[in-house]
Amino acid sequence: MTFQKGFIWGAATAAYQIEGAAFEDGKGPSVWDMCCRRPGFVKDGDTGDIACDHYHRYKEDVAIMKEIGLQAYRMSVSWPRVLPDGTGRVNEKGLDFYDKLIDELLNNGIIPYITLFHWDYPYELYKKGGWLNPESPEWFAEYARIVVERLSDRVKHWITLNEPQCFIILGHYDGIHAPGLKLDKYDIFQAIHNTLLAHGRAVETIRQYSKLPCEVGIAPVGNTYIPETSSEKDIKKTRDVMFACFEDNLWSNSWWMDPVYFGKYPEDGLAKYERWLSQIKQDDMKIIHQPLDFFGCNIYQGVRVRFSDEKPLKFEYVKNKPGYDQTAIKWPVTPEALYWCPRFFYERYGKPVLITENGLSNTDWVSVDGKVHDPQRIDFLYRYIKELKRAAQDGVEAKGYFTWSLMDNFEWAQGYNERFGLVHIDYTTQKRTIKDSAYWYKTVIESNGDVII
Ligand code: GCO
């Protein structure tokens, strides 16, 4: 058996990681533009000023996507490129760029999936309090309306937020992503609530203004656990911890996604986080809980968990074996994460699952023969896709798979030190080289996932 008919194969990117042209054609600054200027914030002092220069080379990049045979392309729109101040004044040149890019994709038979927000928050709004400002959901809705009014005569697939957990926890609590803050938990829970409201307002706006029937979802990331054995008992307990709230871990899937898919915060979280929570307004949950068409999963790895028999949710992480398989960024290779997590999410939320990101950083370079040989990436993708297929065979409704990433790009605080792409970028010359894995992925797409290595 292969994947269902109509399963979508694509690759993903994000605006700040590839576009460059950071201060061109009227674009406003984002929190990432500003943090990149802070000494020590990004490894080697790298910035997204030029990145892959995709803003100027998008035609070449779309031609590459076609060469790889991508059916779909997940990209994000830069909020401050469209609204330099975050609200109000529209930058027509910014919108024109996305207009042309969408046309280029469609002319080449590639379906665009647009993420409205992938972390490049307008600096002008940050100065007004950013996600802590009660107006922030409305700011996001205004931005969503402008993008949707312009592109929805051609775009039918929308993702509101990419990994809200990362930009709130890494960006506002740990301080290692932009805007580089270390706020206390009162503020963090308020910011979480505001981003969920922003998601809800964006969904309402997309549905209200879309010119075509459309599909809308969100792409979260969270705790990803793998049962140590596949005994019924371990599976059940692992599912329980996937959706449990813990005081010292703000990444709980249920805290972030139950409001979105069920319209309420989980009871265990309400009890554990009570002292940090502000009053929730009566209609908030109605706004957050909008009908969605899919559940986006950004999954790279999972942690194997072992349970103790006495206490129901007492568990420990199973230690990796010495010399375990790991990628260049030192993430363990755990293909079963792409079986268990889609399965747990599907079982809980009942929505078709769309893998919005999965891939690896590898030590790729251009070989003496001018090609990029990346057998590890082929092996990694093969193993993970196989697990997703197993989930589909076991009844998980899997809609599609996007590999991260189309091309090597600016890996946030790691700068250009990590290469996640199907396409190699030489950042000095901006030369693109299609890696071996991309040609292999082409055969995966052609066979709808039936290929073996
Ligand atoms: C993320 C982001 C990507 C990263 C990728 C690799 O979801 O963390 O969406 O921007 O580059 O995940 O870390």
Side-chain angles (χ1 to χ4, degrees):
M1 186 195 142
T2 49
F3 288 99
Q4 69 179 34
K5 221 170 137 253
F7 187 88
I8 287 290
W9 295 95
T13 63
Y16 189 71
Q17 295 181 275
I18 64 164
E19 284 179 2
F23 303 98
E24 240 177 277
D25 283 348
K27 176 180 162 293
S30 73
V31 290
W32 271 99
D33 288 316
M34 304 311 279
C35 276
C36 284
R37 275 151 183 75
R38 205 188 283 177
F41 197 81
V42 176
K43 201 163 171 192
D44 297 338
D46 290 344
T47 74
D49 288 4
I50 300 174
C52 309
D53 197 29
H54 174 72
Y55 187 76
H56 298 113
R57 294 167 196 261
Y58 71 92
K59 284 197 177 162
E60 181 186 353
D61 293 335
V62 174
I64 289 172
M65 294 179 216
K66 188 169 186 196
E67 166 78 17
I68 302 173
L70 296 188
Q71 298 169 342
Y73 174 53
R74 175 181 175 224
M75 52 173 270
S76 78
V77 169
S78 160
W79 184 349
R81 195 181 287 293
V82 171
L83 289 159
D85 304 318
T87 55
R89 188 171 53 94
V90 174
N91 178 31
E92 284 302 325
K93 281 194 176 157
L95 274 178
D96 284 350
F97 167 68
Y98 296 109
D99 235 2
K100 288 185 288 185
L101 173 54
I102 296 301
D103 285 344
E104 193 70 16
L105 288 166
L106 292 172
N107 289 338
N108 284 282
I110 300 163
I111 305 167
Y113 278 62
I114 292 196
T115 307
L116 285 172
F117 181 64
H118 199 129
W119 307 358
D120 41 359
Y121 196 77
Y123 189 65
E124 292 305 321
L125 295 183
Y126 163 73
K127 288 197 286 185
K128 294 182 183 163
W131 291 112
L132 280 175
N133 190 311
E135 290 297 304
S136 55
E138 280 320 301
W139 298 338
F140 189 55
E142 177 183 337
Y143 157 63
R145 178 178 56 77
I146 284 154
V147 175
V148 170
E149 279 184 330
R150 182 67 168 256
L151 302 179
S152 68
D153 57 336
R154 288 153 290 157
V155 173
K156 296 190 265 189
H157 300 88
W158 300 94
I159 292 159
T160 54
L161 303 173
N162 180 71
E163 300 188 0
Q165 293 89 339
C166 281
F167 65 79
I168 296 298
I169 303 169
L170 302 182
H172 295 75
Y173 188 67
D174 297 333
I176 56 172
H177 276 193
L181 301 178
K182 292 187 175 180
L183 303 176
D184 64 45
K185 284 190 180 158
Y186 299 99
D187 291 336
I188 293 302
F189 280 100
Q190 189 62 59
I192 293 175
H193 192 66
N194 289 344
T195 58
L196 295 177
L197 283 166
H199 157 81
R201 288 290 296 114
V203 181
E204 282 182 323
T205 306
I206 295 167
R207 300 228 190 262
Q208 184 180 348
Y209 290 94
S210 181
K211 295 172 187 154
L212 297 174
C214 61
E215 292 196 350
V216 190
I218 183 168
V221 70
N223 297 325
T224 46
Y225 297 126
I226 300 171
E228 189 186 18
T229 77
S230 25
S231 73
E232 276 311 311
K233 204 165 82 185
D234 275 1
I235 295 172
K236 187 191 166 304
K237 287 184 173 183
T238 308
R239 187 189 293 113
D240 289 346
V241 296
M242 272 286 284
F243 300 104
C245 294
F246 302 100
E247 260 197 43
D248 54 351
N249 176 335
L250 295 170
W251 298 80
S252 157
N253 293 302
S254 57
W255 187 261
W256 288 87
M257 286 301 115
D258 279 13
V260 168
Y261 287 91
F262 296 154
K264 57 178 186 254
Y265 282 117
E267 294 298 329
D268 63 334
L270 284 171
K272 289 206 173 85
Y273 305 146
E274 194 188 0
R275 71 193 122 125
W276 297 302
L277 301 178
S278 326
Q279 187 71 34
I280 294 169
K281 287 210 231 67
Q282 215 191 337
D283 284 341
D284 283 3
M285 282 300 158
K286 257 197 240 146
I287 295 171
I288 294 170
H289 179 42
Q290 298 293 322
L292 291 179
D293 302 292
F294 57 86
F295 188 95
C297 293
N298 288 3
I299 296 175
Y300 293 83
Q301 55 177 315
V303 187
R304 209 171 279 282
V305 281
R306 173 180 298 151
F307 296 91
S308 97
D309 270 338
E310 316 85 66
K311 294 215 188 118
L313 280 189
K314 183 103 170 93
F315 69 96
E316 58 175 321
Y317 297 145
V318 178
K319 214 169 153 284
N320 291 315
K321 293 196 217 93
Y324 63 94
D325 303 341
Q326 54 185 313
T327 67
I329 202 170
K330 306 291 178 205
W331 295 350
V333 179
T334 53
E336 310 95 301
L338 219 55
Y339 173 83
W340 290 107
C341 300
R343 179 174 152 177
F344 290 146
F345 287 126
Y346 182 68
E347 286 169 350
R348 184 171 182 92
Y349 298 117
K351 290 288 169 192
V353 163
L354 181 67
I355 306 303
T356 32
E357 285 180 26
N358 170 246
L360 80 158
S361 167
N362 194 33
T363 53
D364 305 319
W365 65 81
V366 181
S367 294
V368 282
D369 62 4
K371 298 180 178 167
V372 178
H373 304 297
D374 56 344
Q376 290 89 342
R377 182 166 286 102
I378 295 175
D379 188 76
F380 179 102
L381 295 179
Y382 172 73
R383 288 174 192 265
Y384 276 70
I385 291 170
K386 201 168 140 215
E387 288 295 314
L388 179 64
K389 192 192 281 187
R390 187 160 74 87
Q393 281 161 352
D394 285 356
V396 173
E397 197 181 332
K399 266 179 107 66
Y401 173 90
F402 288 80
T403 193
W404 183 272
S405 172
L406 171 67
M407 54 184 137
D408 296 340
N409 58 46
F410 177 80
E411 178 57 23
W412 309 114
Q414 301 304 317
Y416 297 102
N417 289 282
E418 304 296 339
R419 294 187 177 273
F420 275 90
L422 294 174
V423 177
H424 180 276
I425 304 285
D426 177 329
Y427 295 104
T428 314
T429 61
Q430 288 297 344
K431 183 172 166 22
R432 276 88 167 119
T433 305
I434 301 179
K435 300 180 190 177
D436 288 357
S437 60
Y439 289 113
W440 173 81
Y441 190 50
K442 186 181 174 94
T443 67
V444 174
I445 298 171
E446 284 165 356
S447 64
N448 196 22
D450 222 8
V451 82
I452 50 165
I453 297 180

